[in-house]
Amino acid sequence: MELVPTIRAHIEKYMREQNLKLQHFSDITGINVGTLSAILKGSRPMSMNQLNQITSVMGLEKGYFYESYGVESFIESAPHWRRLEPYLYGCAELGKLDCIQQVITHVTDDRSYIEELFDVAESFFARGLKEAALILYECVADSEKYQHSERLALCQYRIFLLHKTMSKFDNLAAAVQLEPYVAKLDEEIQLDAVKDLANVYNTIHHWDKVYELAEELERKVDFQLELQSRRRKNKERIAFYPIFTYKAYANLLKASVCEARKQYEKALEYTDVYVNVIEISNPTEEEQELIERFKGWAQGNRYLYHLMNGNHEVIEPYLNYLDANPHEILTAFVNIVQAANQHSLDIDSALYRFDPYIKQFNTNMHLKGTYNMQMLNHRYIRFYYELAKYRLNQQRYATGIDTLLTSLELSSSSNDDLMSIKSIDLYGKFRMYVTNQQDEQYTRLIEGLSSQNFGIRIKSV
């Protein structure tokens, strides 16, 4: 087996090639000559700062020696937190995840660093270094001795947040794994965890579970509001949002469940509830911003529920509302076109009016971050599916099939198997009207679906 040169050997070779004496190398690196001598003799460990200084002087990119440093300092030698912590930060900032994984797997054999690793994971999470944070959370969770600890529960919650993907099956598995730990979280953090669980179940249309979690969320909020009325006003909030907004959100979730079940009158009742919840006195700037957001949702949702209930007269005021709230256009038009299909409405004028916005759907021009990405992507798919159905019912077969193929392509690329099946089924009903070019595109999409592991079997229509 060929031995890998040590960092010290690389430095000594560089000094020989550049004909550098120790004092000169000390001068250009800024490292004390005695310290440098001890490092080269192997009698003193090198700090991360010294490693970066030497790497820069040698004309190498930052992080060039990180893998070797990890092996020499933490695997072949006894790890020391004073060097390990800056090493983890350095690797995370440069995206050297393999280095983190290699070192952490070895270090967590000794449980003495579990608490410090968890704190670093929390720091990474707060700074958006998500992949590095995930490695640490998973290692801490695997090594956690006290299986009922709050730290373990928080690790599982962070893992859940970081593991969410565009795959509904993966999200469901992550939700199921998190649920047993929710009750072990801090009581305020439980509000965020239950909300996030409900959002995941919402994306996979598990309406009974969404409603159950909404009720659980409301119970937890009521308890927190009662506590809040008793304790000192300046206590720092742990939950991400003001506490009362979770009660409003719980009723928004219930309204969305009623909408899915076509219980529009009940959905309107829950809308009234969350509008009443947000009526608080002397709101802060943050609270006022959230209050306005809920009021906007309520206004748009009332138009929606009336429209879906067959009240066609609300279309015009609904469109006027969308003019003032362009970030709601995608969500609104999914439902407007669905209502048109359900009640045989002619909405061509509405589609023409908002055509510039509709053309931007699923492009970088569309506002990002307004919705959870899974929910946003699903709305794109649903819009094109409903629009395809609308065009096909109008006997506009060419544009209808093109739009349907867009829906199938999007559902395929995002692993949305349910919408893929619905698109395939609708295509089969109108296959007699497709062109050769459209059928070739459809075949390519089906071949792509067949090569993916959906847990379902795709057949050509």
Side-chain angles (χ1 to χ4, degrees):
M1 180 177 175
E2 185 179 353
L3 294 177
V4 178
T6 63
I7 298 174
R8 188 170 71 250
H10 278 285
I11 297 171
E12 291 171 341
K13 179 183 178 185
Y14 175 80
M15 291 175 64
R16 286 195 304 272
E17 290 175 346
Q18 300 299 318
N19 196 27
L20 293 173
K21 300 298 183 184
L22 187 64
Q23 182 63 58
H24 188 194
F25 195 59
S26 169
D27 291 340
I28 60 178
T29 59
I31 300 173
N32 176 274
V33 66
T35 300
L36 190 58
S37 176
I39 289 173
L40 292 176
K41 289 177 181 177
S43 60
R44 177 167 181 162
M46 190 186 316
S47 71
M48 277 291 289
N49 187 47
Q50 291 163 346
L51 177 67
N52 289 332
Q53 289 173 275
I54 291 171
T55 303
S56 176
V57 166
M58 293 174 67
L60 301 171
E61 63 181 15
K62 187 176 181 180
Y64 181 86
F65 289 120
Y66 279 11
E67 184 176 358
S68 297
Y69 185 83
V71 172
E72 294 176 24
S73 301
F74 311 117
I75 297 176
E76 295 178 349
S77 305
H80 192 289
W81 185 250
R82 190 174 63 186
R83 291 189 299 279
L84 179 57
E85 182 179 21
Y87 177 74
L88 294 175
Y89 276 96
C91 290
E93 288 165 359
L94 295 180
K96 292 185 173 293
L97 304 179
D98 289 344
C99 293
I100 295 176
Q101 186 72 66
Q102 177 178 251
V103 167
I104 292 305
T105 302
H106 180 80
V107 167
T108 48
D109 289 341
D110 177 0
R111 288 187 38 78
S112 61
Y113 290 129
I114 294 300
E115 185 175 349
E116 288 87 350
L117 290 172
F118 174 77
D119 291 340
V120 172
E122 287 285 89
S123 175
F124 286 173
F125 184 82
R127 294 170 60 176
L129 300 169
K130 296 181 178 180
E131 292 176 305
L134 181 58
I135 293 172
L136 297 191
Y137 283 129
E138 289 180 333
C139 281
V140 171
D142 288 342
S143 304
E144 183 58 73
K145 180 178 179 181
Y146 302 102
Q147 292 302 307
H148 300 287
S149 72
E150 183 180 331
R151 184 166 62 206
L152 174 61
L154 191 52
C155 277
Q156 294 292 350
Y157 178 40
R158 300 296 195 220
I159 291 169
F160 164 78
L161 293 174
L162 295 170
H163 258 320
K164 286 195 292 185
T165 68
M166 297 304 290
S167 166
K168 293 181 180 180
F169 293 117
D170 290 344
N171 290 343
L172 176 58
V176 169
Q177 180 168 335
L178 172 64
E179 285 197 62
Y181 295 95
V182 171
K184 301 179 184 70
L185 292 166
D186 177 275
E187 289 176 339
E188 284 192 31
I189 296 179
Q190 288 182 34
L191 302 180
D192 289 304
V194 174
K195 171 187 69 68
D196 291 331
L197 279 171
N199 285 341
V200 165
Y201 283 111
N202 193 41
T203 63
I204 60 179
H205 300 171
H206 196 331
W207 305 122
D208 288 347
K209 191 66 177 178
V210 174
Y211 194 88
E212 174 191 323
L213 288 167
E215 295 221 297
E216 180 182 347
L217 178 58
E218 191 164 18
R219 285 193 299 271
K220 290 180 181 295
V221 175
D222 287 340
F223 177 73
Q224 287 300 313
L225 290 172
E226 177 64 24
L227 281 181
Q228 201 175 57
S229 67
R230 298 178 186 175
R231 54 195 177 196
R232 63 185 188 277
K233 297 294 184 182
N234 60 350
K235 181 183 180 297
E236 184 178 356
R237 189 182 83 215
I238 300 175
F240 192 81
Y241 298 103
I243 302 298
F244 75 95
T245 61
Y246 292 90
K247 186 178 180 73
Y249 193 74
N251 283 278
L252 177 63
L253 286 170
K254 291 180 184 179
S256 70
V257 172
C258 292
E259 175 199 344
R261 293 172 172 169
K262 300 184 179 180
Q263 299 169 342
Y264 303 116
E265 293 296 335
K266 194 70 176 174
L268 286 165
E269 291 177 18
Y270 283 122
T271 302
D272 291 339
V273 171
Y274 70 74
V275 168
N276 290 332
V277 166
I278 60 175
E279 292 296 332
I280 65 169
S281 57
N282 303 317
T284 64
E285 183 178 344
E286 178 193 21
E287 290 170 342
Q288 187 60 48
E289 181 182 340
L290 291 166
I291 287 168
E292 293 303 320
R293 193 180 301 177
F294 274 102
K295 284 182 176 178
W297 287 336
Q299 184 182 3
N301 286 339
R302 283 184 176 126
Y303 288 134
L304 165 64
Y305 301 147
H306 283 297
L307 177 62
M308 298 303 290
N309 212 22
N311 182 356
H312 312 152
E313 296 176 359
V314 301
I315 289 183
E316 192 62 29
Y318 196 8
L319 296 178
N320 293 336
Y321 161 82
L322 294 177
D323 279 327
N325 298 273
H327 55 281
E328 295 291 337
I329 290 174
L330 172 60
T331 305
F333 265 86
V334 170
N335 297 298
I336 288 171
V337 183
Q338 184 181 353
N341 290 330
Q342 187 173 323
H343 300 289
S344 300
L345 305 179
D346 185 334
I347 57 165
D348 281 356
S349 60
L351 291 168
Y352 178 78
R353 175 173 168 178
F354 285 87
D355 185 60
Y357 291 95
I358 292 170
K359 284 178 178 176
Q360 294 176 13
F361 285 178
N362 207 36
T363 73
N364 292 330
M365 294 294 292
H366 190 77
L367 294 175
K368 300 294 183 185
T370 307
Y371 301 98
N372 174 281
M373 275 306 296
Q374 289 103 5
M375 298 173 73
L376 177 62
N377 200 62
H378 184 69
R379 286 188 176 100
Y380 287 135
I381 299 167
R382 280 190 59 205
F383 170 75
Y384 287 115
Y385 173 80
E386 294 292 343
L387 183 60
K389 187 187 292 187
Y390 176 74
R391 295 301 189 203
L392 291 169
N393 288 337
Q394 288 180 311
Q395 299 183 359
R396 297 170 64 178
Y397 301 119
T399 56
I401 294 296
D402 282 342
T403 307
L404 183 58
L405 290 171
T406 299
S407 172
L408 181 57
E409 183 175 10
L410 287 173
S411 58
S412 169
S413 63
S414 61
N415 293 350
D416 193 327
D417 53 292
L418 179 60
M419 290 305 299
S420 293
I421 292 171
K422 291 182 71 171
S423 298
I424 291 168
D425 183 59
L426 187 60
Y427 185 90
K429 292 177 181 177
F430 290 90
R431 189 160 195 169
M432 65 193 74
Y433 301 107
V434 305
T435 65
N436 289 337
Q437 185 177 359
Q438 288 171 332
D439 205 39
E440 288 173 3
Q441 183 181 351
Y442 173 80
T443 300
R444 286 195 299 271
L445 291 172
I446 290 296
E447 289 172 351
L449 279 170
S450 300
S451 65
Q452 298 177 34
N453 183 19
F454 280 116
I456 58 173
R457 191 171 181 179
I458 303 294
K459 294 182 179 180
S460 296
V461 178

